[in-house]
Amino acid sequence: QVRIGGVASSANALADHLAIVWLTPAMDRLFLDSPGGRRRFLDRLTLALHPGHAVHSARYDAAMRARNRLLADLRRADPAWLTALEAQMGEHGAALARARADLVARLNHVLADQPEEPFARPLVAIEGDDAGDMPPLGPRLERERRRDAAAGRTLSGPHRHDLAVTHVAKGQAAALCSTGEQKALLLSILLAHAALVAADRGQPPVLLLDEVAAHLDPLRRAALFERLAATGGQIWMTGTESSLFSDLPSATRLTVTAGHVFRSAT
């Protein structure tokens, strides 16, 4: 439940007040996941810098779903209604594309100053048929009605974007890197993003890191804790082995037992 000023609010409304970024074990497969998973990850990062991003995304998706329903029976569809929906998709789709492109450009600028070790340095980019300089989306969708009707879905637009990540030192796509390298690339992106948010908003994001210390060697684990401490923000880390956090310089330690939370002595 989210309450802001004592009033029940949507989770998206939190973006107007603070930035929240999280990492879960399931995200270790981000680079092997579907484009939709990477796109959602990209949008979470974008939302921290562009609070209105969620609104544009919701309105774009609503217009696209309505258009797809009309295209299911194109012969009976009202052309004026289709044009109106395509105009909405063009407006909100352009805002989505601009915000994502801004995030990627600024993220790469921060990553360019990051050392290669102990975490791999990534290069991020947006891929997709609508990721570069393309004609306005609305008129293009009008021309593609028959194609989309035959496919049963909209084939152009920012909902087709994909996040591409490259290991700079190896010149290799993240999907082809080892599991450890993929985890290091992901951590590099999140740490650079935290620095970017802190500079942009004047306050660091809240980081929620589930099992973040697992599968990291002692060198990378120590470096991670050092960089997390340097963010100056509130950080929540979870793990099933307390020994993984023994090198933390200072932290409040909580233990969950039988559904209850206790503050640990050490």
Side-chain angles (χ1 to χ4, degrees), residues 1 18 23 33 82-83 101 105 108 129 143 171 185 192 208 238:
Q1 294 182 346
L18 76 164
L23 178 65
D33 199 358
L82 277 171
T83 298
N108 278 328
D129 65 341
R143 295 192 299 271
L185 288 168
L208 311 176
T238 65

Side-chain angles (χ1 to χ4, degrees), residues 67 71-74 144-154:
R67 178 180 184 267
L71 291 178
D73 191 357
L74 182 57
E144 295 174 354
R145 286 176 187 173
R146 291 189 180 278
R147 184 193 70 169
D148 292 350
R153 63 189 187 278
T154 300

Side-chain angles (χ1 to χ4, degrees), residues 126-187:
I126 299 174
E127 292 183 343
D129 65 341
D130 193 53
D133 294 328
M134 299 289 290
L137 181 60
R140 186 150 49 95
L141 291 173
E142 182 176 355
R143 295 192 299 271
E144 295 174 354
R145 286 176 187 173
R146 291 189 180 278
R147 184 193 70 169
D148 292 350
R153 63 189 187 278
T154 300
L155 297 177
S156 296
H159 65 286
R160 306 274 291 179
H161 284 174
D162 193 0
L163 175 66
V165 177
T166 303
H167 189 308
V168 172
K170 299 180 68 173
Q172 189 175 63
L176 301 177
C177 293
S178 68
T179 301
E181 288 170 337
Q182 290 179 7
K183 184 71 172 278
L185 288 168
L186 187 55
L187 285 170

Side-chain angles (χ1 to χ4, degrees), residues 59-82:
R59 292 178 179 174
Y60 176 88
D61 288 344
M64 182 174 64
R65 288 194 299 270
R67 178 180 184 267
N68 288 343
R69 286 194 295 270
L70 289 177
L71 291 178
D73 191 357
L74 182 57
R75 289 179 298 177
R76 297 185 180 182
D78 182 350
W81 191 1
L82 277 171

Side-chain angles (χ1 to χ4, degrees), residues 37-57:
R38 288 187 292 275
R39 191 164 51 249
R40 287 188 292 273
F41 174 72
L42 173 64
D43 282 339
R44 284 199 296 271
L45 299 185
T46 304
L47 183 62
L49 296 178
H50 298 272
H53 190 68
V55 174
H56 287 297
S57 180

Side-chain angles (χ1 to χ4, degrees), residues 173-212:
L176 301 177
C177 293
S178 68
T179 301
E181 288 170 337
Q182 290 179 7
K183 184 71 172 278
L185 288 168
L186 187 55
L187 285 170
S188 290
I189 291 173
L190 287 178
L191 292 170
H193 180 259
L196 182 59
V197 171
D200 189 77
R201 299 183 62 143
Q203 66 180 47
V206 176
L207 298 180
L208 311 176
L209 309 175
D210 184 18
E211 288 287 359
V212 68

